[in-house]
Amino acid sequence: MTSIGAHSGMVDWNLAVATATRLVRPGPEVSRDEARAVVAELRRHARSSEEHVRGFTRMGTEETHDTPLLVVDRPGWVRANVAGFREILKPLLEKMQERRGGGAGNAVLGAVGGKVTGVELGMLLSFMSSRVLGQYETFAPATRDLPAGANGGGRLLLVAPNIVHVERELDVEPHDFRLWVTLHEETHRTQFTAVPWLRDHLEGEIQSFLAETDVDPMTVLERIREAAQTLAGGRPEAEEDDDGGRSLVELVQTPAQREVLARLTAVMSLLEGHADFVMDGVGPQVVPSVGEIREKFQQRRAKGASRLDMALRKLLGLDAKLRQYRDGERFVRAVVDECGMDGFNRVWTSPNTLPTKSEIAKPADWIARVHRKPEA
């Protein structure tokens, strides 16, 4: 039995996919011809976005973009992310399996628990699958259905029904909105393809975080259950702010994990903020209604869809991601204003030139450290 099979009892991944696929909300109503037209247009915009992003950021060449573009539906996004989770969580689940020990009784409990966790993970993925517009997925191994770049890169996912849903919800010009979205997602593809050490660095940090997990083997899965119960309405409203409003990730931290999480937060803030900065920089030249789109989208980001949505976002740490967009964009803008684009791009030199969490908040400190300039 393979290593994946050895710990498959902790999470029934196939059941997670089946559950999410069964529960996923139907996308917006479109005819078959309309759907084909949307897919074709997203592919065209992705190709043109490559040139816009490379020209604006001065990162990468045509040869570095060897990663495929996949225009997917919601179940397709679920399958890609389950494959990524399964790969990145493999060491943690192996550790949890070892802690739980063998024996027939544990095997039966593990099989039952794995199915329960698979259902609950599927519930969370079904919720998320209707909200993600695009993603650069980098961790899932290459398969026929999920190809990857020739040099070990990931793949760019654009979730077509979600893009159509949001453009209708915001009542914005569809062609402009689709290009605007692809500019943001293409920036993420450029980051990973033009900076060859970035994927391995991120994976190393995530594995360091997971390796420091020193909790009862079921605690992490209990947090997934807690989130799933919130989604299903199983947690009373009065409990929404339990644990001080901390997120799923923050609840399992050790002191060593806090250090790793600070570094991960900084790099994610950089990546998300850089994508927003590029989107805003390129947008006015190629997206006629960019001002209207940006304003409406920011309002949508800030308010969430409902009280339940807000509770889940807090529990899953999605509010932290919103802060990453804002803080990271301010960092990028401040450094580009002071040092120019080439000066900013020194951030991609090595892991040592990535900003720390404190430097994200104080760009002058990063400039002083990397460019050896005294603070004003």
Side-chain angles (χ1 to χ4, degrees):
M1 187 175 287
T2 66
S3 60
I4 291 179
H7 65 246
S8 62
M10 302 297 290
V11 181
D12 189 328
W13 298 107
N14 292 334
L15 186 56
V17 172
T19 300
T21 301
R22 179 170 55 85
L23 295 178
V24 70
R25 298 176 182 178
E29 290 188 12
V30 294
S31 68
R32 182 169 297 182
D33 287 343
E34 287 175 318
R36 288 173 177 166
V38 170
V39 170
E41 183 172 23
L42 288 172
R43 292 188 178 281
R44 288 196 303 273
H45 285 330
R47 285 194 295 270
S48 65
S49 292
E50 287 184 31
E51 298 180 12
H52 295 314
V53 171
R54 284 203 306 269
F56 184 79
T57 63
R58 304 178 194 173
M59 294 174 64
T61 64
E62 189 170 351
E63 287 70 31
T64 61
H65 280 66
D66 72 331
T67 56
L69 165 71
L70 305 176
V71 181
V72 298
D73 57 10
R74 291 167 178 174
W77 179 88
V78 168
R79 289 191 293 271
N81 277 268
V82 165
F85 290 156
R86 186 170 182 166
E87 186 71 14
I88 203 72
L89 292 176
K90 192 185 302 182
L92 174 64
L93 294 181
E94 287 174 344
K95 177 180 178 180
M96 294 170 71
Q97 184 83 3
E98 290 172 3
R99 281 195 169 196
R100 192 177 63 189
N106 281 335
V108 172
L109 288 174
V112 174
K115 290 188 180 300
V116 171
T117 305
V119 168
E120 290 165 342
L121 180 59
M123 292 171 65
L124 292 178
L125 287 170
S126 71
F127 172 82
M128 297 297 298
S129 69
S130 64
R131 285 157 173 75
V132 177
L133 301 183
Q135 174 187 359
Y136 187 79
E137 203 297 312
T138 184
F139 296 120
T143 64
R144 185 183 66 179
D145 296 328
L146 198 62
N151 296 322
R155 68 285 295 166
L156 180 61
L157 308 176
L158 295 175
V159 190
N162 295 350
I163 293 172
V164 172
H165 171 79
V166 173
E167 71 192 24
R168 291 179 179 178
E169 179 185 293
L170 298 181
D171 190 25
V172 293
E173 210 289 319
H175 306 295
D176 285 3
F177 184 74
R178 294 166 194 173
L179 176 55
W180 188 75
V181 169
T182 59
L183 286 170
H184 182 101
E185 303 307 332
E186 182 59 43
T187 302
H188 287 316
R189 177 157 65 166
T190 296
Q191 291 162 347
F192 281 91
T193 54
V195 186
W197 53 264
L198 183 58
R199 179 195 179 279
D200 289 342
H201 173 70
L202 263 182
E203 183 174 11
E205 292 283 53
I206 292 170
Q207 293 304 338
S208 295
F209 181 88
L210 296 177
E212 289 293 335
T213 298
D214 188 22
V215 294
D216 178 81
M218 296 310 295
T219 298
V220 177
L221 303 183
E222 283 295 329
R223 296 307 177 188
I224 295 175
R225 179 164 301 137
E226 187 178 348
Q229 288 172 349
T230 299
L231 180 61
R235 298 181 75 221
E237 287 190 3
E239 296 181 14
E240 285 181 0
D241 292 324
D242 281 356
D243 299 307
R246 290 177 292 173
S247 73
L248 188 66
V249 170
E250 292 171 321
L251 287 169
V252 298
Q253 284 185 76
T254 65
Q257 282 179 307
R258 281 193 288 272
E259 295 181 9
V260 178
L261 188 61
R263 296 195 298 269
L264 278 170
T265 299
V267 71
M268 295 309 297
S269 297
L270 172 69
L271 298 179
E272 296 293 357
H274 184 235
D276 266 13
F277 177 78
V278 172
M279 189 167 58
D280 285 348
V282 175
Q285 282 74 51
V286 298
V287 182
S289 59
V290 65
E292 177 191 2
I293 291 173
R294 184 71 158 134
E295 181 180 358
K296 289 183 175 180
F297 194 78
Q298 288 287 63
Q299 291 172 355
R300 182 182 186 273
R301 255 187 194 170
K303 71 181 182 180
S306 66
R307 182 177 176 81
L308 173 62
D309 195 30
M310 294 289 281
L312 258 178
R313 283 184 0 187
K314 178 180 289 187
L315 186 60
L316 298 176
L318 300 183
D319 282 345
K321 183 163 183 170
L322 297 181
R323 290 193 296 274
Q324 288 170 7
Y325 283 110
R326 294 194 302 268
D327 297 345
E329 196 274 340
R330 281 196 292 263
F331 170 84
V332 175
R333 186 171 301 280
V335 174
V336 172
D337 286 347
E338 179 69 21
C339 305
M341 188 63 74
D342 290 336
F344 165 78
N345 280 340
R346 289 184 64 178
V347 78
W348 310 116
T349 304
S350 76
N352 292 330
T353 56
L354 290 172
T356 65
K357 189 176 180 181
S358 64
E359 287 171 342
I360 288 287
K362 296 181 179 179
D365 290 352
W366 180 87
I367 294 171
R369 177 171 67 87
V370 174
H371 289 269
R372 306 298 182 193
K373 291 181 179 181
E375 290 188 62

